[in-house]
PDB file of all heavy atoms in Angstrom:
ATOM      1  N   CYS A  56      -2.077   3.561  16.128  1.00 91.00           N
ATOM      2  CA  CYS A  56      -1.518   4.899  15.858  1.00 91.00           C
ATOM      3  C   CYS A  56      -0.349   5.195  16.783  1.00 91.00           C
ATOM      4  O   CYS A  56       0.643   5.795  16.367  1.00 91.00           O
ATOM      5  CB  CYS A  56      -2.598   5.971  16.003  1.00 91.00           C
ATOM      6  SG  CYS A  56      -3.810   5.875  14.695  1.00 91.00           S
ATOM      7  N   ASN A  57      -0.460   4.771  18.044  1.00 90.00           N
ATOM      8  CA  ASN A  57       0.653   4.981  18.979  1.00 90.00           C
ATOM      9  C   ASN A  57       1.900   4.266  18.490  1.00 90.00           C
ATOM     10  O   ASN A  57       3.007   4.793  18.561  1.00 90.00           O
ATOM     11  CB  ASN A  57       0.300   4.480  20.385  1.00 90.00           C
ATOM     12  CG  ASN A  57      -0.642   5.425  21.103  1.00 90.00           C
ATOM     13  OD1 ASN A  57      -0.783   6.578  20.698  1.00 90.00           O
ATOM     14  ND2 ASN A  57      -1.298   4.947  22.143  1.00 90.00           N
ATOM     15  N   GLY A  58       1.688   3.030  17.985  1.00 91.00           N
ATOM     16  CA  GLY A  58       2.817   2.263  17.450  1.00 91.00           C
ATOM     17  C   GLY A  58       3.453   3.000  16.285  1.00 91.00           C
ATOM     18  O   GLY A  58       4.683   3.085  16.162  1.00 91.00           O
ATOM     19  N   LEU A  59       2.603   3.594  15.435  1.00 92.00           N
ATOM     20  CA  LEU A  59       3.092   4.329  14.267  1.00 92.00           C
ATOM     21  C   LEU A  59       3.903   5.552  14.713  1.00 92.00           C
ATOM     22  O   LEU A  59       4.999   5.806  14.204  1.00 92.00           O
ATOM     23  CB  LEU A  59       1.885   4.769  13.421  1.00 92.00           C
ATOM     24  CG  LEU A  59       2.189   5.468  12.105  1.00 92.00           C
ATOM     25  CD1 LEU A  59       2.908   4.526  11.138  1.00 92.00           C
ATOM     26  CD2 LEU A  59       0.895   5.968  11.456  1.00 92.00           C
ATOM     27  N   VAL A  60       3.354   6.263  15.712  1.00 91.00           N
ATOM     28  CA  VAL A  60       4.054   7.454  16.216  1.00 91.00           C
ATOM     29  C   VAL A  60       5.420   7.053  16.769  1.00 91.00           C
ATOM     30  O   VAL A  60       6.438   7.679  16.465  1.00 91.00           O
ATOM     31  CB  VAL A  60       3.200   8.184  17.292  1.00 91.00           C
ATOM     32  CG1 VAL A  60       4.010   9.257  17.995  1.00 91.00           C
ATOM     33  CG2 VAL A  60       1.952   8.792  16.661  1.00 91.00           C
ATOM     34  N   THR A  61       5.439   5.983  17.555  1.00 90.00           N
ATOM     35  CA  THR A  61       6.711   5.529  18.141  1.00 90.00           C
ATOM     36  C   THR A  61       7.723   5.226  17.031  1.00 90.00           C
ATOM     37  O   THR A  61       8.905   5.553  17.141  1.00 90.00           O
ATOM     38  CB  THR A  61       6.489   4.261  19.002  1.00 90.00           C
ATOM     39  OG1 THR A  61       5.446   4.542  19.912  1.00 90.00           O
ATOM     40  CG2 THR A  61       7.730   3.848  19.762  1.00 90.00           C
ATOM     41  N   ALA A  62       7.235   4.592  15.951  1.00 92.00           N
ATOM     42  CA  ALA A  62       8.146   4.224  14.866  1.00 92.00           C
ATOM     43  C   ALA A  62       8.628   5.453  14.091  1.00 92.00           C
ATOM     44  O   ALA A  62       9.747   5.470  13.591  1.00 92.00           O
ATOM     45  CB  ALA A  62       7.435   3.244  13.927  1.00 92.00           C
ATOM     46  N   LEU A  63       7.782   6.478  13.992  1.00 93.00           N
ATOM     47  CA  LEU A  63       8.120   7.620  13.137  1.00 93.00           C
ATOM     48  C   LEU A  63       8.859   8.743  13.856  1.00 93.00           C
ATOM     49  O   LEU A  63       9.575   9.517  13.217  1.00 93.00           O
ATOM     50  CB  LEU A  63       6.839   8.213  12.528  1.00 93.00           C
ATOM     51  CG  LEU A  63       6.078   7.337  11.539  1.00 93.00           C
ATOM     52  CD1 LEU A  63       4.863   8.078  11.013  1.00 93.00           C
ATOM     53  CD2 LEU A  63       6.975   6.926  10.378  1.00 93.00           C
ATOM     54  N   GLU A  64       8.679   8.837  15.161  1.00 93.00           N
ATOM     55  CA  GLU A  64       9.242   9.979  15.891  1.00 93.00           C
ATOM     56  C   GLU A  64      10.762  10.032  15.786  1.00 93.00           C
ATOM     57  O   GLU A  64      11.432   8.997  15.879  1.00 93.00           O
ATOM     58  CB  GLU A  64       8.908   9.846  17.381  1.00 93.00           C
ATOM     59  CG  GLU A  64       7.651  10.538  17.794  1.00 93.00           C
ATOM     60  CD  GLU A  64       7.424  10.359  19.287  1.00 93.00           C
ATOM     61  OE1 GLU A  64       7.912   9.373  19.878  1.00 93.00           O
ATOM     62  OE2 GLU A  64       6.761  11.217  19.854  1.00 93.00           O
ATOM     63  N   THR A  65      11.286  11.237  15.632  1.00 95.00           N
ATOM     64  CA  THR A  65      12.742  11.420  15.698  1.00 95.00           C
ATOM     65  C   THR A  65      13.139  11.414  17.179  1.00 95.00           C
ATOM     66  O   THR A  65      12.272  11.626  18.041  1.00 95.00           O
ATOM     67  CB  THR A  65      13.141  12.786  15.095  1.00 95.00           C
ATOM     68  OG1 THR A  65      12.552  13.806  15.913  1.00 95.00           O
ATOM     69  CG2 THR A  65      12.673  12.932  13.648  1.00 95.00           C
ATOM     70  N   PRO A  66      14.429  11.210  17.476  1.00 93.00           N
ATOM     71  CA  PRO A  66      14.831  11.256  18.894  1.00 93.00           C
ATOM     72  C   PRO A  66      14.432  12.578  19.553  1.00 93.00           C
ATOM     73  O   PRO A  66      14.025  12.601  20.705  1.00 93.00           O
ATOM     74  CB  PRO A  66      16.357  11.103  18.832  1.00 93.00           C
ATOM     75  CG  PRO A  66      16.595  10.354  17.564  1.00 93.00           C
ATOM     76  CD  PRO A  66      15.528  10.794  16.597  1.00 93.00           C
ATOM     77  N   GLU A  67      14.525  13.700  18.820  1.00 94.00           N
ATOM     78  CA  GLU A  67      14.151  14.996  19.412  1.00 94.00           C
ATOM     79  C   GLU A  67      12.673  15.018  19.753  1.00 94.00           C
ATOM     80  O   GLU A  67      12.258  15.505  20.811  1.00 94.00           O
ATOM     81  CB  GLU A  67      14.436  16.157  18.434  1.00 94.00           C
ATOM     82  CG  GLU A  67      15.892  16.383  18.125  1.00 94.00           C
ATOM     83  CD  GLU A  67      16.355  15.597  16.906  1.00 94.00           C
ATOM     84  OE1 GLU A  67      16.043  14.385  16.825  1.00 94.00           O
ATOM     85  OE2 GLU A  67      17.024  16.184  16.046  1.00 94.00           O
ATOM     86  N   GLN A  68      11.852  14.473  18.833  1.00 93.00           N
ATOM     87  CA  GLN A  68      10.401  14.453  19.105  1.00 93.00           C
ATOM     88  C   GLN A  68      10.095  13.557  20.302  1.00 93.00           C
ATOM     89  O   GLN A  68       9.235  13.858  21.120  1.00 93.00           O
ATOM     90  CB  GLN A  68       9.640  13.970  17.866  1.00 93.00           C
ATOM     91  CG  GLN A  68       9.568  15.017  16.771  1.00 93.00           C
ATOM     92  CD  GLN A  68       9.090  14.436  15.449  1.00 93.00           C
ATOM     93  OE1 GLN A  68       9.335  13.263  15.136  1.00 93.00           O
ATOM     94  NE2 GLN A  68       8.404  15.252  14.673  1.00 93.00           N
ATOM     95  N   LYS A  69      10.820  12.439  20.382  1.00 92.00           N
ATOM     96  CA  LYS A  69      10.604  11.532  21.536  1.00 92.00           C
ATOM     97  C   LYS A  69      10.914  12.257  22.833  1.00 92.00           C
ATOM     98  O   LYS A  69      10.161  12.185  23.794  1.00 92.00           O
ATOM     99  CB  LYS A  69      11.543  10.321  21.411  1.00 92.00           C
ATOM    100  CG  LYS A  69      10.905   9.130  20.740  1.00 92.00           C
ATOM    101  CD  LYS A  69      11.769   7.887  20.919  1.00 92.00           C
ATOM    102  CE  LYS A  69      11.799   7.033  19.676  1.00 92.00           C
ATOM    103  NZ  LYS A  69      10.524   6.737  19.084  1.00 92.00           N
ATOM    104  N   LEU A  70      12.051  12.962  22.834  1.00 93.00           N
ATOM    105  CA  LEU A  70      12.463  13.685  24.039  1.00 93.00           C
ATOM    106  C   LEU A  70      11.386  14.710  24.430  1.00 93.00           C
ATOM    107  O   LEU A  70      11.010  14.829  25.592  1.00 93.00           O
ATOM    108  CB  LEU A  70      13.803  14.387  23.770  1.00 93.00           C
ATOM    109  CG  LEU A  70      14.506  14.988  24.966  1.00 93.00           C
ATOM    110  CD1 LEU A  70      14.937  13.898  25.928  1.00 93.00           C
ATOM    111  CD2 LEU A  70      15.725  15.798  24.523  1.00 93.00           C
ATOM    112  N   THR A  71      10.882  15.410  23.420  1.00 92.00           N
ATOM    113  CA  THR A  71       9.872  16.429  23.685  1.00 92.00           C
ATOM    114  C   THR A  71       8.618  15.805  24.265  1.00 92.00           C
ATOM    115  O   THR A  71       8.089  16.266  25.282  1.00 92.00           O
ATOM    116  CB  THR A  71       9.515  17.180  22.374  1.00 92.00           C
ATOM    117  OG1 THR A  71      10.721  17.692  21.832  1.00 92.00           O
ATOM    118  CG2 THR A  71       8.540  18.311  22.626  1.00 92.00           C
ATOM    119  N   SER A  72       8.140  14.716  23.621  1.00 90.00           N
ATOM    120  CA  SER A  72       6.875  14.157  24.129  1.00 90.00           C
ATOM    121  C   SER A  72       7.075  13.505  25.493  1.00 90.00           C
ATOM    122  O   SER A  72       6.201  13.570  26.347  1.00 90.00           O
ATOM    123  CB  SER A  72       6.239  13.200  23.112  1.00 90.00           C
ATOM    124  OG  SER A  72       7.066  12.108  22.921  1.00 90.00           O
ATOM    125  N   LEU A  73       8.257  12.902  25.704  1.00 91.00           N
ATOM    126  CA  LEU A  73       8.493  12.265  27.013  1.00 91.00           C
ATOM    127  C   LEU A  73       8.588  13.302  28.127  1.00 91.00           C
ATOM    128  O   LEU A  73       7.941  13.181  29.170  1.00 91.00           O
ATOM    129  CB  LEU A  73       9.801  11.474  26.985  1.00 91.00           C
ATOM    130  CG  LEU A  73       9.760  10.079  26.393  1.00 91.00           C
ATOM    131  CD1 LEU A  73      11.163   9.501  26.322  1.00 91.00           C
ATOM    132  CD2 LEU A  73       8.862   9.176  27.221  1.00 91.00           C
ATOM    133  N   CYS A  74       9.409  14.316  27.906  1.00 92.00           N
ATOM    134  CA  CYS A  74       9.699  15.245  29.006  1.00 92.00           C
ATOM    135  C   CYS A  74       8.671  16.359  29.130  1.00 92.00           C
ATOM    136  O   CYS A  74       8.412  16.835  30.223  1.00 92.00           O
ATOM    137  CB  CYS A  74      11.087  15.850  28.838  1.00 92.00           C
ATOM    138  SG  CYS A  74      12.348  14.591  28.945  1.00 92.00           S
ATOM    139  N   PHE A  75       8.110  16.788  28.015  1.00 93.00           N
ATOM    140  CA  PHE A  75       7.207  17.937  28.103  1.00 93.00           C
ATOM    141  C   PHE A  75       5.735  17.557  27.976  1.00 93.00           C
ATOM    142  O   PHE A  75       4.865  18.396  28.220  1.00 93.00           O
ATOM    143  CB  PHE A  75       7.609  19.003  27.076  1.00 93.00           C
ATOM    144  CG  PHE A  75       9.011  19.513  27.329  1.00 93.00           C
ATOM    145  CD1 PHE A  75       9.990  19.435  26.357  1.00 93.00           C
ATOM    146  CD2 PHE A  75       9.353  20.024  28.572  1.00 93.00           C
ATOM    147  CE1 PHE A  75      11.285  19.867  26.621  1.00 93.00           C
ATOM    148  CE2 PHE A  75      10.644  20.452  28.845  1.00 93.00           C
ATOM    149  CZ  PHE A  75      11.619  20.378  27.860  1.00 93.00           C
TER     150      PHE A  75
END
Side-chain angles (χ1 to χ4, degrees):
C56 290
N57 284 343
L59 184 65
V60 170
T61 308
L63 294 181
E64 267 181 335
T65 64
E67 294 91 313
Q68 285 167 329
K69 266 192 219 311
L70 190 65
T71 305
S72 64
L73 278 174
C74 296
F75 299 123

